[in-house]
Amino acid sequence: MSSVNKVSLSIAVAVALLMAGLATSPVHAQTPSVTASVDRTDLTLTDVLSLTLRIEGVANVHPLPQAPVISGLILVGTERRSHQTFAQGSLSAQFEFIFKYQPLRTGSINIDPINVILDNTVHITDPITVNVTGASGAAQSPTGGPPQPTSLVGQDFFAESEVDNETPYIGQQITYTLRFYSANAFSRPIYDAPDFAGFWNPGRSNEEESLANVAGRSYRVTEANTILFPTLSGALKIEPTNVSVRGGLLGSSVNQYPTRQIDLNVRPLPTGEPDSFTGAVGRYSISADVDFSTVDLGDPITLTLTVSGEGNMESLPAPEWPEVPGWRAFDNDAPYQMSIVDGKVQGSRNFTRVFIPSTSGSHEFPAVEYSYFDPEDEEYVTLTSRSFRVEVLPDPSSPATNPLLISEETEDAEAQAIRYIKPVPGSIGRRTSLLTTSSIFWMLWLTPLAGILILAVFMAYRKRPPAAVTVEPNAATAAALARLSTAEPGASVADTASMALHGYLDIRLQRATSGMSPTEIAESLSQLGASSSARAALVDLMGRIAEMRFSRREVDGSDEVAHEVQAIVRTLDRELSE
Amino acid sequence: MRTGTLLTLVVLASFVLVELVAANDSIDVEAFRNANLLYESGNYEEAARSYEHLSRLGYQDATLYYNLGNSYYQMDDMGRALLNYLRAKRLAPLDEDIEVNLSLVREGVGTPGSSQERPISVLAQFAGWVPWVSLNGAVLVALLCWLVIWAAALTLIWNRRVRHSLALRRIAVVAGFGLLLFGFLAVGNQVSRNHWAETGVIIARSTDVLEAPNSRARTEVNLDAGREVGVIETRAGWTKIRLPRTELEGWVLSSDVERVIQEEL
């Protein structure tokens, strides 16, 4: 075994042993234990009680235990810690859940046993009793001001929220303030703001930081203000804001510090609103202006009413515009600008309306009234703008108002006179019936088809097979027989028979057969359907006739040659006709 | 190439022949001249009557309609003036005089430009570029080209002696181009014809457009003379119209509206 292999084997054995050791670690061998404890049993109304739920003997905790609801105490914060140690060959895990409460009353307060489920087993802690006294002064009011120095004893973090007016009028501005006290300079709070249901939130909030020395300890106080306008009357609530702070080594734990819920009673606007009131709440002033005091008939003017002051500019309602006789009116844009000054929403909004005169003359634009409800003074206020006078000039393009225009129009008319008539044309077109409506016209388009058909028939005719040999069999036979019976002067029987036979074959084969051998003639007849016996007889006969002709002598049976020719002609005639 | 040129000349000559045959030689020049004299003397009503008489005799000429339109214009009958200018424009779409007078009438009736003109298809516009080619002329020359193509093709197929004849091939190619050109012209002419047959003009001083062909039906809108409309159908003395570039349809008395092309297609 090489040294390399030895090293590898050693490493493998060591890893295996380590894994075996880990697999049998005491974490799994331990019995889970759950205990609850408090940092003090005697406390005052301003103290914060830390209830620690400690879990040991498990690798992880799931589900996470929830903060118990304790009568007489209110939850003001949570914290979570975990420790894992490996010592003397065993792994030790410990989880701590710290719930921080503030007393709501004095006297004895019982903390009931806490149920924790671990590995499908319910673990129950022991009950705890704490005693609350009021000896250290007034308790921290949940809706009160900043916590007193003694209330922050023993706390690194604390969150509180409040509104500046818990009984506002609908549409009145209120400010929601969140304060977070932090003794840890490196912790940065993260806010989980409520949705502010029932409020119009312009999304503007400022955040300020300050330092406070409380009970000899320095705190960084972060204050966030959110401006709200109630949009509903009646009971409204603002859900708690959760402030989260990362803690532990390298931010391994997250501590949450919820604020209390804030309940508001939003009052409806009082009755007795003026006619010009359209829903504005706040404190405003108005001004009005018109862009032209003299216009031509048909030209528009724009009346602008500017509303300035404190209030919700974005939802500021438009005024009740007066009807102006002789003018057509159209609503226009209403741009606004808004800012926060000293915690109050301020700004202005320009309501514009376009008017178009339909008659000329001097027109009086009445004053525009604008009413609002002042929640500070709890009364309706009506403002009135100034009135305007607008002169509308007659239409300059109208001839009735511009005598000069008449002559101009006359000149235009002359300039635009129609062009003169045309002379008589050389030929005048006549209305004719359309060729496309004639059936003959469309039939002419089909004549190529007829040409194609004729051509096709003709081509087929030309290419027909030479079946014409059977066309005149009787004529051929008759000619042959006639030639046999009428021998030419000086011709021998063989010559006559040869001429008759070739004459017949010439007609049958449609070609001259005198130059063909008997075998070639037989082959041609074979293509026409002659039997082999007939062909053999023909070859034999032609051979004998040739012999008779070239020998120049009468051989035996020469008289019968004529009969044989007749017979072979009739035989071929029959066979070829079939 | 000599053969191709010859064939081209033959095609053109046949076209000219067709057009000359289509034109009427027995023109009533004297009546036309008299109508013009009536117009020049300021007797517009008599002039219009004379032009109308010629039109009823079967004459269909851009100059005739143009002069008739002028007569109605002088009589302040903008509806009929517009109608006859449109008829003239159909026959001579490139005539500048017609276009000028048509624009003036359109402005006079309150619809300047071609805002109320019904859009016409590209094919019809193509045909309008060569207004001297009538529908009959185009279809006849196209037919001639068609026959020549087939005759050349059949000869090439049938006769072995001319199978490789370059002249015949050129004839077929030239005839093919002719067929294509005059075929498009014929189609464009027909499309243009359909367009004008579906175009009407309100000739009454004022007419109500009703929801139904019934005098008791609700009035949708009132139209003045000279308003160009699309004609959808005619039924028992009522004509259904559509306002150009709108979805508004309704019925008017047939006597209040007249098509640019009156005869049956």
Side-chain angles (χ1 to χ4, degrees):
Chain A
M1 187 178 287
S2 67
S3 59
V4 175
N5 287 341
K6 286 179 181 177
V7 171
S8 301
L9 182 60
S10 301
I11 293 172
V13 169
V15 169
L17 288 173
L18 181 60
M19 295 298 288
L22 286 175
T24 56
S25 67
V27 168
H28 297 285
Q30 285 181 345
T31 302
S33 71
V34 178
T35 58
S37 61
V38 292
D39 60 342
R40 68 190 76 180
T41 55
D42 294 313
L43 67 163
T44 64
L45 283 171
T46 57
D47 287 342
V48 173
L49 176 71
S50 291
L51 170 63
T52 301
L53 187 65
R54 185 175 292 107
I55 300 173
E56 295 175 304
V58 291
N60 58 63
V61 179
H62 183 78
L64 295 175
Q66 298 297 309
V69 177
I70 304 170
S71 176
L73 297 178
I74 183 170
L75 183 72
V76 295
T78 63
E79 194 173 332
R80 191 174 69 191
R81 297 170 183 165
S82 64
H83 305 284
Q84 286 186 334
T85 56
F86 189 78
Q88 297 178 348
S90 65
L91 185 66
S92 173
Q94 179 180 295
F95 299 91
E96 286 184 351
F97 297 90
I98 303 167
F99 306 109
K100 297 182 178 181
Y101 294 89
Q102 220 173 9
L104 294 175
R105 61 176 172 81
T106 58
S108 178
I109 295 176
N110 292 323
I111 301 174
D112 292 333
I114 302 169
N115 297 335
V116 178
I117 301 172
L118 297 172
D119 295 335
N120 297 322
T121 303
V122 178
H123 299 265
I124 302 173
T125 64
D126 294 329
I128 301 172
T129 301
V130 297
N131 188 33
V132 180
T133 62
S136 295
Q140 166 84 34
S141 169
T143 61
Q148 298 301 309
T150 52
S151 69
L152 294 175
V153 173
Q155 282 185 251
D156 289 337
F157 304 103
F158 182 76
E160 66 169 9
S161 62
E162 64 177 6
V163 293
D164 60 349
N165 184 359
E166 291 185 342
T167 58
Y169 281 103
I170 186 170
Q172 181 184 1
Q173 176 189 326
I174 61 172
T175 304
Y176 173 82
T177 302
L178 171 71
R179 291 192 194 89
F180 184 73
Y181 292 79
S182 172
N184 186 341
F186 300 102
S187 297
R188 284 288 166 189
I190 302 169
Y191 306 109
D192 182 12
D195 58 2
F196 298 117
F199 296 89
W200 183 83
N201 176 11
R204 296 166 186 269
S205 63
N206 64 331
E207 193 171 304
E208 294 177 352
E209 283 194 356
S210 60
L211 290 176
N213 194 332
V214 181
R217 195 175 184 189
S218 180
Y219 285 89
R220 188 181 72 243
V221 183
T222 305
E223 183 175 301
N225 295 312
T226 302
I227 291 171
L228 302 171
F229 293 90
T231 56
L232 300 170
S233 60
L236 290 180
K237 63 181 180 182
I238 299 176
E239 299 290 343
T241 296
N242 277 318
V243 184
S244 302
V245 178
R246 287 198 170 276
L249 186 63
L250 299 177
S252 58
S253 63
V254 177
N255 303 317
Q256 289 190 329
Y257 302 91
T259 65
R260 71 175 181 98
Q261 172 182 303
I262 297 175
D263 296 312
L264 294 94
N265 179 26
V266 180
R267 292 179 286 173
L269 298 181
T271 56
E273 69 274 14
D275 292 339
S276 57
F277 179 72
T278 53
V281 177
R283 184 169 286 175
Y284 304 101
S285 62
I286 64 169
S287 65
D289 199 7
V290 65
D291 55 353
F292 296 107
S293 58
T294 303
V295 292
D296 292 329
L297 184 65
D299 286 350
I301 64 166
T302 301
L303 176 62
T304 302
L305 181 76
T306 302
V307 181
S308 310
E310 296 175 355
N312 185 358
M313 292 297 164
E314 191 172 345
S315 61
L316 198 65
E320 284 285 340
W321 295 102
E323 290 294 327
V324 186
W327 294 76
R328 288 178 294 146
F330 307 92
D331 280 333
N332 208 351
D333 295 336
Y336 70 93
Q337 45 186 319
M338 198 162 66
S339 60
I340 299 173
V341 179
D342 295 333
K344 294 283 187 183
V345 174
Q346 297 182 348
S348 63
R349 185 159 197 169
N350 295 329
F351 296 100
T352 58
R353 195 165 171 84
V354 176
F355 291 86
I356 299 176
S358 51
T359 58
S360 59
S362 180
H363 294 262
E364 175 78 19
F365 270 69
V368 180
E369 287 189 346
Y370 194 79
S371 297
Y372 64 91
F373 178 73
D374 186 345
E376 302 285 338
D377 297 338
E378 298 184 330
E379 63 178 8
Y380 288 100
V381 178
T382 298
L383 306 172
T384 304
S385 73
R386 66 187 180 95
S387 59
F388 300 95
R389 179 161 292 280
V390 178
E391 297 292 331
V392 180
L393 303 177
D395 184 5
S397 61
S398 169
T401 59
N402 190 350
L404 295 175
L405 201 64
I406 297 173
S407 59
E408 286 175 7
E409 236 186 22
T410 307
E411 287 174 9
D412 286 346
E414 286 174 357
Q416 293 188 345
I418 60 168
R419 297 205 175 173
Y420 206 59
I421 58 170
K422 294 173 183 289
V424 180
S427 65
I428 308 176
R430 184 176 267 283
R431 191 175 293 122
T432 55
S433 59
L434 292 179
L435 288 173
T436 48
T437 60
S438 165
S439 56
I440 296 174
F441 170 78
W442 293 110
M443 285 175 67
L444 282 172
W445 284 84
L446 299 177
T447 49
L449 280 180
I452 293 170
L453 281 175
I454 292 169
L455 184 63
V457 169
F458 184 75
M459 296 293 275
Y461 176 77
R462 283 191 62 185
K463 288 183 178 177
R464 72 190 188 284
V469 290
T470 62
V471 173
E472 297 177 344
N474 295 332
T477 306
L481 296 178
R483 187 160 291 176
L484 279 174
S485 59
T486 57
E488 293 180 9
S492 66
V493 173
D495 289 337
T496 304
S498 176
M499 288 172 63
L501 192 56
H502 279 286
Y504 173 77
L505 292 173
D506 286 349
I507 295 172
R508 272 295 179 184
L509 297 179
Q510 292 280 300
R511 57 199 292 189
T513 57
S514 56
M516 298 173 67
S517 67
T519 308
E520 291 173 340
I521 293 171
E523 285 179 1
S524 297
L525 289 171
S526 171
Q527 292 176 359
L528 295 178
S531 66
S532 58
S533 60
R535 283 182 277 136
L538 176 67
V539 171
D540 177 62
L541 179 59
M542 291 183 74
R544 283 192 284 121
I545 290 173
E547 183 184 349
M548 288 169 68
R549 289 179 64 195
F550 294 110
S551 66
R552 292 293 179 184
R553 63 181 177 86
E554 294 294 326
V555 296
D556 291 340
S558 60
D559 293 337
E560 297 177 359
V561 169
H563 297 290
E564 288 184 36
V565 169
Q566 288 183 15
I568 196 71
V569 164
R570 293 186 189 283
T571 301
L572 286 173
D573 209 27
R574 186 180 64 253
E575 291 184 358
L576 296 182
S577 298
E578 291 173 355
Chain B
M1 193 61 203
R2 195 177 298 167
T3 310
T5 308
L6 184 65
L7 185 71
T8 306
L9 289 173
V10 168
V11 168
L12 290 175
S14 63
F15 161 70
V16 171
L17 187 66
V18 165
E19 293 301 322
L20 284 177
V21 168
N24 193 288
D25 290 329
S26 60
I27 55 173
D28 196 343
V29 178
E30 199 59 33
F32 205 136
R33 189 173 292 119
N34 284 339
N36 278 8
L37 287 172
L38 287 169
Y39 181 94
E40 288 163 359
S41 64
N43 195 343
Y44 303 119
E45 283 190 33
E46 282 300 317
R49 200 168 293 125
S50 296
Y51 292 130
E52 289 280 17
H53 176 70
L54 283 171
S55 176
R56 279 194 296 275
L57 286 178
Y59 290 109
Q60 182 181 257
D61 189 89
T63 305
L64 175 65
Y65 288 131
Y66 171 81
N67 289 2
L68 181 56
N70 272 17
S71 302
Y72 281 124
Y73 181 89
Q74 299 293 2
M75 294 160 61
D76 202 27
D77 188 344
M78 293 301 167
R80 287 186 173 81
L82 185 69
L83 174 71
N84 285 285
Y85 285 141
L86 287 177
R87 286 173 175 167
K89 181 183 178 180
R90 182 181 83 83
L91 298 172
L94 303 180
D95 191 300
E96 188 187 342
D97 294 333
I98 297 172
E99 193 59 45
V100 168
N101 287 6
L102 182 61
S103 299
L104 280 173
V105 174
R106 278 176 171 159
E107 285 178 13
V109 298
T111 53
S114 57
S115 60
Q116 65 165 328
E117 193 172 3
R118 298 175 65 236
I120 196 166
S121 73
V122 176
L123 267 178
Q125 289 178 25
F126 171 65
W129 295 335
V130 277
W132 53 88
V133 179
S134 68
L135 177 58
N136 277 353
V139 294
L140 261 182
V141 176
L143 173 63
L144 179 67
C145 292
W146 170 256
L147 296 177
V148 168
I149 289 170
W150 277 105
L154 293 177
T155 305
L156 285 169
I157 294 168
W158 182 31
N159 196 333
R160 294 179 180 177
R161 284 176 296 181
V162 295
R163 182 161 291 176
H164 302 290
S165 167
L166 193 59
L168 265 182
R169 290 166 190 266
R170 284 175 178 164
I171 287 172
V173 170
V174 171
F177 277 117
L179 175 65
L180 203 64
L181 175 66
F182 284 91
F184 272 121
L185 283 173
V187 174
N189 256 300
Q190 186 60 50
V191 172
S192 169
R193 195 175 179 80
N194 291 344
H195 169 83
W196 290 114
E198 293 167 358
T199 299
V201 176
I202 301 294
I203 55 171
R205 290 286 176 190
S206 175
T207 187
D208 289 333
V209 181
L210 308 178
E211 274 187 338
N214 185 329
S215 57
R216 292 185 299 275
R218 192 179 71 85
T219 300
E220 291 182 330
V221 67
N222 184 275
L223 297 180
D224 291 332
R227 189 63 190 258
E228 292 168 56
V229 297
V231 178
I232 301 171
E233 64 171 301
T234 299
R235 186 194 302 172
W238 291 90
T239 298
K240 190 175 187 181
I241 62 165
R242 177 190 294 121
L243 288 181
R245 305 177 199 283
T246 70
E247 297 300 320
L248 182 65
E249 292 181 357
W251 295 85
V252 297
L253 285 170
S254 294
S255 57
D256 290 352
V257 62
E258 199 163 317
R259 295 175 190 250
V260 175
I261 295 182
Q262 285 180 289
E263 72 269 28
E264 292 295 324
L265 290 174

